[in-house]
Amino acid sequence: MVGEGKIQETHSREEQQVEGDENGSPKRGILMGCCNTIRAPIDWFRMLSKETHWSLVGGVVAVYGINQGFGGALARVGTEYYMKDVQKVQPSEAQAYKGITNIPWIIKPIWGLLTDVVPIFGYRRRPYFVLAGILGILSMFFLSFHEKLHIVLALVCLTVGSGGVAIADVTVDACVAQQSGIHPSLAPDMQSLCALSSSIGALIGFSLSGVFVHLIGPKGVYGLLSIPFALVLLVGLVLKEPHSPSFAYRQINEKFLDAASAMWTTLKCQDVWRPCLYMYLSFALSLNIYEGLFYWETDSKAGPSFSQETIGFILSIGSVGSLLGAILYQYGLKTHPFRALLFWTQLFFGLSGMLDLVFILRLNLKLGLSDYFFAVIDESVFQLVGRLKWMPLLVLSSQLCPPGIEGTFFALLMSIDNFGLMSSTWLGGLLLHVLNVTRTQFDNLWLAILIRNVLRIVPLAFLFLVPKSSPESSGFSRMEVLSILEDGESHIEVSGILEDSELSKSEEVELTPLVSNIG
């Protein structure tokens, strides 16, 4: 009866609102709808802050949104022009150098082990944010202020800066993975928060990147990148984290071995290594030939001769596609089974590559579409499908992390993905070299694109490696991983890895507000 009374009262209010609108009063319904639309993300942030603590939410926004999203966008465009105009290297060489600078992301398990096993001055997270910030600031300043830097030294600085981003990424990922284990139902929401923060930051960064490159040059952009790293340093200084001064550093070697054994035991589980193998193949077979496309797009004879501002705007509008992909996943696809979602995203990923072929052959002009408009469509579709392809893999990875070594194991899973990306970059550079795609020669670029598109479809043959379950199903979870660790042949004591961090669930929730800071 109470429910019926509320329904009648609601209908009565709606009728009064309609009558008021017809009599010319303000259209409160529309205003209320707009208010609800605005409040929805605010309520979502509040919910995540209440369940996981505001410091973790703020940390994800800071690291992913500013350091990786905004800073990564500036770094990408700045480095493209730095290699092309300052170092004057070939596209295939630029691809190889990009793979070298990604090495810190391949060894992410090392950073994860350090954050999980080795506290500094009684803190497990704060010192690593400080270290990441210092490495980034010094490397960016060196690149910015040195007049003519040798390519080897430039690669060292770029790699050190990449290491700073990777260390900050691992540290915040450890907290996200931990919360995904404590609140499995929030795992998709946490990954959506990471993706949305990164996409919005990239949107702003790409919008300004071309302008900055034009005004202050690639080296000036590197100087500007010291600001996001300074923010990471600040995060390390203000991070809320329990202090544990009594740590037996003499047991570090033993703890490293225990953590490595725990990872190896977990990785041997069929439900773990099979998805890992698919993730690697999915990235490695999707060859990266972006440097060839970038050199063609900025060439004044063979290509459309895009300016620096145009390149930045194209990438910025394209990042809207990434943002839409994150939103689409959050509100429409996050409950879909992994295998079905990966099938369609991988298929569309391969088909979307045909847009590059249309662009290179200039068929868009025959269709009456300008180069700029078509490039925006191409980049937007690529970013949208790429984000949809990446999201379920992130959720699956976060759910496979055993308690106690969340940072280490999630870093291991991400390093597998990054090794796949590095393989893709190097194989793409090799393909450009074999087909003789240079700074001024692009006759065979269409063939490189066609080969890449065909290889993008190949991972569909390995989808049987991915579980059919959905993120919210009661299938394989990290608690089952823990039982594997405890019941396996090695009888590993996970609780010995992190001493007092393996508390009861209620106590563990007390210690989760570890981050007040931004992968």
Side-chain angles (χ1 to χ4, degrees):
M1 295 297 293
V2 175
E4 293 177 359
K6 289 184 177 180
I7 294 174
Q8 292 175 357
E9 181 181 352
T10 301
H11 286 313
S12 176
R13 289 179 179 176
E14 290 177 351
E15 290 173 358
Q16 292 175 3
Q17 178 180 312
V18 171
E19 291 175 0
D21 292 341
E22 291 177 351
N23 293 329
S25 63
K27 298 185 177 182
R28 296 176 56 192
I30 297 177
L31 294 177
M32 291 179 63
C34 293
C35 291
N36 291 335
T37 302
I38 296 174
R39 287 185 57 186
I42 297 177
D43 291 339
W44 183 57
F45 270 91
R46 287 179 176 174
M47 182 273 294
L48 290 178
S49 299
K50 180 180 179 180
E51 296 292 334
T52 65
H53 197 271
W54 63 267
S55 58
L56 176 59
V57 176
V60 170
V61 173
V63 176
Y64 273 101
I66 300 176
N67 191 39
Q68 290 190 35
F70 180 80
L74 291 181
R76 175 178 170 179
V77 178
T79 302
E80 298 289 352
Y81 281 100
Y82 181 78
M83 289 296 177
K84 180 177 181 289
D85 297 335
V86 178
Q87 296 292 343
K88 299 185 183 301
V89 300
Q90 298 292 345
S92 56
E93 295 174 331
Q95 293 264 167
Y97 296 150
K98 182 183 292 185
I100 293 174
T101 59
N102 284 335
I103 288 178
W105 293 84
I106 308 300
I107 59 175
K108 283 180 67 175
I110 295 179
W111 317 132
L113 274 171
L114 291 173
T115 59
D116 281 340
V117 175
V118 186
I120 301 176
F121 302 118
Y123 294 102
R124 298 186 182 277
R125 311 298 183 192
R126 294 177 62 178
Y128 294 99
F129 280 114
V130 173
L131 174 63
I134 292 175
L135 290 176
I137 292 172
L138 293 178
S139 60
M140 293 301 104
F141 275 165
F142 196 76
L143 280 168
S144 178
F145 292 120
H146 201 285
E147 280 299 323
K148 193 173 173 104
L149 198 60
H150 192 275
I151 185 64
V152 175
L153 292 178
L155 285 176
V156 170
C157 291
L158 289 172
T159 304
V160 170
S162 178
V165 180
I167 292 172
D169 175 81
V170 168
T171 307
V172 76
D173 279 346
C175 300
V176 172
Q178 184 181 24
Q179 288 298 322
S180 297
I182 298 173
H183 307 285
S185 62
L186 291 181
D189 293 276
M190 292 303 299
Q191 294 302 334
S192 295
L193 176 63
C194 297
L196 289 170
S197 301
S198 178
S199 298
I200 294 173
L203 172 61
I204 299 173
F206 281 129
S207 299
L208 301 175
S209 60
V211 177
F212 283 134
V213 171
H214 177 73
L215 294 177
I216 61 179
K219 293 194 296 182
V221 168
Y222 287 135
L224 191 62
L225 284 173
S226 62
I227 297 177
F229 282 112
L231 180 60
V232 173
L233 174 61
L234 180 62
V235 165
L237 296 177
V238 302
L239 183 67
K240 181 180 179 181
E241 180 182 11
H243 185 240
S244 304
S246 57
F247 178 78
Y249 285 94
R250 289 172 296 182
Q251 300 179 3
I252 288 180
N253 185 54
E254 179 183 349
K255 292 179 181 297
F256 263 106
L257 294 177
D258 287 343
S261 299
M263 286 195 300
W264 176 244
T265 302
T266 306
L267 202 56
K268 288 192 298 183
C269 174
Q270 179 174 275
D271 290 314
V272 177
W273 70 258
R274 285 163 62 96
C276 291
L277 178 59
Y278 174 81
M279 287 189 287
Y280 171 77
L281 293 174
S282 175
F283 287 110
L285 293 175
S286 302
L287 300 190
N288 179 2
I289 57 172
Y290 178 77
E291 298 300 327
L293 289 168
F294 172 74
Y295 278 56
W296 176 81
E297 289 176 347
T298 56
D299 188 79
S300 58
K301 296 181 180 179
S305 188
F306 287 150
S307 65
Q308 296 159 340
E309 295 91 341
T310 301
I311 290 292
F313 285 133
I314 289 174
L315 292 174
S316 68
I317 299 175
S319 63
V320 175
S322 177
L323 179 61
L324 292 176
I327 295 174
L328 180 60
Y329 177 81
Q330 168 65 21
Y331 293 103
L333 300 175
K334 68 179 182 180
T335 59
H336 282 59
F338 288 117
R339 189 179 297 180
L341 184 56
L342 289 173
F343 172 83
W344 289 108
T345 54
Q346 190 69 43
L347 179 62
F348 286 131
F349 190 60
L351 295 177
S352 65
M354 299 304 295
L355 293 175
D356 288 331
L357 190 61
V358 173
F359 195 23
I360 291 296
L361 297 177
R362 312 310 294 274
L363 298 179
N364 60 293
L365 297 178
K366 296 181 179 180
L367 296 174
L369 301 176
S370 67
D371 289 331
Y372 177 79
F373 179 77
F374 193 82
V376 167
I377 298 299
D378 187 5
E379 183 66 21
S380 299
V381 172
F382 170 76
Q383 293 286 349
L384 186 148
V385 179
R387 177 62 70 181
L388 289 177
K389 174 177 174 286
W390 177 242
M391 291 298 295
L393 295 178
L394 283 175
V395 175
L396 179 61
S397 297
S398 66
Q399 292 183 343
L400 294 178
C401 296
I405 53 172
E406 295 95 347
T408 305
F409 199 79
F410 191 82
L412 174 64
L413 297 178
M414 291 300 98
S415 70
I416 293 173
D417 294 346
N418 287 308
F419 185 61
L421 290 172
M422 187 177 73
S423 301
S424 169
T425 299
W426 281 349
L427 290 174
L430 179 62
L431 179 63
L432 292 175
H433 178 74
V434 170
L435 296 179
N436 195 33
V437 177
T438 66
R439 293 171 56 89
T440 57
Q441 186 71 24
F442 306 99
D443 292 342
N444 292 327
L445 184 56
W446 69 271
L447 183 58
I449 294 173
L450 186 61
I451 294 173
R452 180 205 65 182
N453 294 344
V454 173
L455 289 177
R456 281 182 176 181
I457 305 296
V458 175
L460 293 177
F462 300 97
L463 271 175
F464 66 91
L465 297 171
V466 180
K468 294 181 179 180
S469 61
S470 65
E472 296 182 351
S473 68
S474 58
F476 190 72
S477 67
R478 78 171 193 158
M479 294 311 298
E480 294 182 48
V481 176
L482 179 59
S483 67
I484 292 171
L485 293 177
E486 293 175 338
D487 299 335
E489 296 178 358
S490 57
H491 298 286
I492 295 172
E493 294 289 342
V494 179
S495 59
I497 297 174
L498 288 182
E499 294 179 333
D500 56 345
S501 65
E502 280 304 298
L503 306 174
S504 65
K505 187 171 182 179
S506 60
E507 293 172 312
E508 190 174 9
V509 174
E510 297 280 357
L511 297 179
T512 53
L514 302 179
V515 188
S516 53
N517 94 29
I518 140 193

